[in-house]
Amino acid sequence: MRINRNEKDFASRLRNFIVEFLSVFFIVALNGTFLVLILTTAINRGLSTSFLALIGILYLLFGCTISAFLIYFVKGRVYYNKIKAVCEAANKVAKGDFNVRAPVYFDKPKSEMDYLAVNFNKMLVEIASLENMRNNFIADVSHEIKTPLSVIQGYADLLQNKDLSAEKRNEYTYLLSEAIETLTNLVTNILKLNKIENQGIIQKEKFSLDEQMRRCILSFEEMVEEKNLTINVDLDEVSIESDKALLETVWNNLVSNAIKYTAFGGEISIALKKDNEKTIATVSDNGCGMSAETIEHCFEKFYQGDASHSQEGNGLGLALVKQVINILDGEIKVSSILGEGTEFTIII
């Protein structure tokens, strides 16, 4: 039988209440028992009623003081120490130490303070992960930008040579222009990725998805002809209510990747089907394919599994696609065989 979180919380609170109630009940019962024994002894010895009352009052005052001290020590100090530990950990986090953890005294939380410590530690794990991702992203961006900048600097220095022939000058100018275009595309994709990751509102509109995909395919007509590729298109008529601009980013990246990694004279297939409430789009090719390791990391930022094609991209295309699909609450699947081809499946 599966127990949900609310039932677990209720059981925990009930257990804590019973333990606290029994603790207080035991202390009160113990005080009462001692008081009865003292009064019984005093009565047997024939002491006056006023003296008995005085003994009772003094004992009650003494007993209440001891009881309050015991309850404070047993419960108050324990809570105080746990809160203090969490506060000290939070203070270290505020100073940038994400490796600190709040102490957890039990394998399973037994009180609200235990849950606080456990959830605090979970939060720190997530923060540390995000911080690590941020540092890696900055390092990757710096590395990726440095490469085209070095190329630009190199060709700019060569072009300053007054003895260059017109042929060499044209060649260096062309290569310089390519490096600038690479840098521009990199910065554009970084800005796109940042915008998509921080986009909170989806601009939904009803449009023809098959027409959008058809226009996307036609925009790559020149590249297709240059590589003498065969494009097999099977698009059902599908109208969809979604973010048109975001989905355009998906098709542009998937189709351009298929063209990029398919050899001269290869074949690309693009299909669109409607399955009940779901829309299924596939983009496949018979190109170089991907290894199992590359498939595992292909949606990571700046990851490029095929070093021989690294100059053709910056490893942000599939990261953009993944972010878009996540925002649209869709699903993306990839299957690939190294040397045989790759297929991406988008389910919206």
Side-chain angles (χ1 to χ4, degrees), residues 31-32 53 91 127 134 151 161-162 179 204 221 223 246 249 256 285 299 313 343-344:
N31 285 332
N91 188 44
I127 291 176
R134 185 184 70 86
V151 174
N161 187 352
K162 297 179 180 179
K204 286 189 175 183
E221 185 176 6
M223 294 175 64
L246 289 181
T249 300
S256 65
D285 62 68
F299 295 112
E343 179 177 274
F344 286 94

Short mmCIF file of all heavy atoms in Angstrom, two decimals, residues 31-32 53 91 127 134 151 161-162 179 204 221 223 246 249 256 285 299 313 343-344:
data_model
loop_
_atom_site.label_atom_id
_atom_site.label_comp_id
_atom_site.label_asym_id
_atom_site.label_seq_id
_atom_site.Cartn_x
_atom_site.Cartn_y
_atom_site.Cartn_z
N ASN A 31 4.79 13.47 40.13
CA ASN A 31 4.65 14.49 41.17
C ASN A 31 3.46 14.20 42.06
O ASN A 31 3.52 14.34 43.30
CB ASN A 31 4.49 15.87 40.53
CG ASN A 31 5.81 16.40 39.99
OD1 ASN A 31 6.87 16.04 40.50
ND2 ASN A 31 5.75 17.25 38.97
N GLY A 32 2.34 13.83 41.46
CA GLY A 32 1.14 13.53 42.23
C GLY A 32 1.35 12.35 43.16
O GLY A 32 0.88 12.36 44.31
N ALA A 53 -1.22 21.42 54.51
CA ALA A 53 -1.45 22.31 53.36
C ALA A 53 -0.17 23.01 52.95
O ALA A 53 0.14 23.16 51.76
CB ALA A 53 -2.52 23.33 53.71
N ASN A 91 24.04 30.47 7.86
CA ASN A 91 25.02 31.56 7.88
C ASN A 91 26.22 31.24 7.00
O ASN A 91 26.75 32.10 6.28
CB ASN A 91 25.47 31.81 9.32
CG ASN A 91 26.34 33.05 9.44
OD1 ASN A 91 26.03 34.09 8.86
ND2 ASN A 91 27.42 32.95 10.19
N ILE A 127 21.10 23.78 -4.70
CA ILE A 127 21.84 25.03 -4.88
C ILE A 127 23.26 24.76 -5.35
O ILE A 127 23.77 25.42 -6.26
CB ILE A 127 21.85 25.85 -3.56
CG1 ILE A 127 20.45 26.36 -3.24
CG2 ILE A 127 22.82 27.03 -3.67
CD1 ILE A 127 20.36 27.08 -1.91
N ARG A 134 26.29 26.74 -13.18
CA ARG A 134 26.59 28.13 -13.55
C ARG A 134 28.07 28.32 -13.84
O ARG A 134 28.46 28.93 -14.83
CB ARG A 134 26.15 29.07 -12.43
CG ARG A 134 26.30 30.55 -12.75
CD ARG A 134 25.92 31.41 -11.55
NE ARG A 134 26.90 31.30 -10.49
CZ ARG A 134 28.01 32.05 -10.42
NH1 ARG A 134 28.26 32.94 -11.36
NH2 ARG A 134 28.86 31.90 -9.43
N VAL A 151 40.79 33.34 -33.76
CA VAL A 151 40.83 33.27 -35.23
C VAL A 151 40.73 34.67 -35.83
O VAL A 151 41.48 35.03 -36.75
CB VAL A 151 39.69 32.38 -35.76
CG1 VAL A 151 39.64 32.43 -37.29
CG2 VAL A 151 39.88 30.94 -35.28
N ASN A 161 49.55 42.92 -43.12
CA ASN A 161 50.76 42.78 -43.93
C ASN A 161 50.53 43.45 -45.29
O ASN A 161 49.69 43.03 -46.09
CB ASN A 161 51.08 41.29 -44.12
CG ASN A 161 52.40 41.08 -44.81
OD1 ASN A 161 53.04 42.02 -45.29
ND2 ASN A 161 52.83 39.82 -44.89
N LYS A 162 51.30 44.48 -45.58
CA LYS A 162 51.13 45.24 -46.83
C LYS A 162 51.57 44.46 -48.06
O LYS A 162 51.22 44.80 -49.19
CB LYS A 162 51.89 46.55 -46.74
CG LYS A 162 51.37 47.48 -45.65
CD LYS A 162 52.17 48.77 -45.59
CE LYS A 162 51.66 49.69 -44.48
NZ LYS A 162 52.43 50.95 -44.39
N ALA A 179 34.62 33.54 -39.23
CA ALA A 179 34.85 33.53 -37.79
C ALA A 179 33.92 34.50 -37.08
O ALA A 179 33.40 34.21 -35.99
CB ALA A 179 36.31 33.87 -37.49
N LYS A 204 0.72 31.61 -26.85
CA LYS A 204 0.01 30.59 -27.62
C LYS A 204 -0.85 31.20 -28.71
O LYS A 204 -1.47 32.25 -28.53
CB LYS A 204 -0.86 29.74 -26.69
CG LYS A 204 -0.08 28.77 -25.83
CD LYS A 204 -1.01 27.82 -25.11
CE LYS A 204 -0.23 26.76 -24.34
NZ LYS A 204 -1.13 25.78 -23.69
N GLU A 221 16.73 24.76 -48.57
CA GLU A 221 16.80 24.19 -49.91
C GLU A 221 18.20 24.28 -50.51
O GLU A 221 18.70 23.33 -51.13
CB GLU A 221 15.79 24.89 -50.82
CG GLU A 221 15.70 24.29 -52.22
CD GLU A 221 14.63 24.96 -53.06
OE1 GLU A 221 14.04 25.96 -52.59
OE2 GLU A 221 14.39 24.49 -54.18
N MET A 223 21.15 24.42 -48.98
CA MET A 223 22.05 23.48 -48.31
C MET A 223 21.78 22.05 -48.76
O MET A 223 22.71 21.25 -48.92
CB MET A 223 21.89 23.59 -46.79
CG MET A 223 22.34 24.91 -46.20
SD MET A 223 22.00 25.01 -44.41
CE MET A 223 23.04 23.69 -43.79
N LEU A 246 8.68 29.52 -30.66
CA LEU A 246 9.49 28.51 -30.00
C LEU A 246 9.59 27.23 -30.82
O LEU A 246 10.67 26.64 -30.94
CB LEU A 246 8.92 28.20 -28.61
CG LEU A 246 9.06 29.28 -27.54
CD1 LEU A 246 8.46 28.82 -26.22
CD2 LEU A 246 10.52 29.66 -27.33
N THR A 249 12.05 27.36 -33.63
CA THR A 249 13.42 27.10 -33.18
C THR A 249 13.72 25.60 -33.18
O THR A 249 14.81 25.17 -33.56
CB THR A 249 13.63 27.66 -31.76
OG1 THR A 249 13.40 29.06 -31.77
CG2 THR A 249 15.05 27.38 -31.26
N SER A 256 18.51 21.45 -39.54
CA SER A 256 19.88 21.86 -39.85
C SER A 256 20.88 20.82 -39.35
O SER A 256 21.89 20.54 -40.02
CB SER A 256 20.18 23.22 -39.23
OG SER A 256 20.14 23.16 -37.81
N ASP A 285 17.68 10.81 -40.20
CA ASP A 285 18.66 10.85 -41.28
C ASP A 285 19.46 9.56 -41.28
O ASP A 285 19.40 8.76 -40.35
CB ASP A 285 19.59 12.05 -41.10
CG ASP A 285 20.39 11.98 -39.81
OD1 ASP A 285 21.27 11.10 -39.70
OD2 ASP A 285 20.15 12.81 -38.91
N PHE A 299 21.93 16.65 -25.16
CA PHE A 299 21.11 17.82 -24.86
C PHE A 299 21.80 18.78 -23.88
O PHE A 299 21.21 19.77 -23.47
CB PHE A 299 19.76 17.40 -24.29
CG PHE A 299 18.90 16.64 -25.27
CD1 PHE A 299 18.62 15.30 -25.07
CD2 PHE A 299 18.40 17.27 -26.39
CE1 PHE A 299 17.84 14.59 -25.98
CE2 PHE A 299 17.61 16.58 -27.31
CZ PHE A 299 17.34 15.23 -27.10
N GLY A 313 29.33 23.94 -35.46
CA GLY A 313 28.34 24.36 -34.48
C GLY A 313 28.99 24.71 -33.16
O GLY A 313 30.20 24.66 -33.01
N GLU A 343 17.45 9.53 -35.28
CA GLU A 343 16.05 9.95 -35.37
C GLU A 343 15.64 10.66 -34.09
O GLU A 343 15.83 10.15 -32.99
CB GLU A 343 15.13 8.74 -35.60
CG GLU A 343 13.66 9.14 -35.68
CD GLU A 343 12.75 7.96 -35.97
OE1 GLU A 343 12.58 7.64 -37.16
OE2 GLU A 343 12.23 7.36 -35.00
N PHE A 344 15.08 11.86 -34.26
CA PHE A 344 14.51 12.62 -33.13
C PHE A 344 13.00 12.57 -33.24
O PHE A 344 12.43 12.79 -34.32
CB PHE A 344 14.99 14.08 -33.17
CG PHE A 344 16.43 14.24 -32.75
CD1 PHE A 344 17.44 14.27 -33.71
CD2 PHE A 344 16.77 14.39 -31.41
CE1 PHE A 344 18.75 14.44 -33.32
CE2 PHE A 344 18.08 14.55 -31.03
CZ PHE A 344 19.09 14.58 -31.98
#
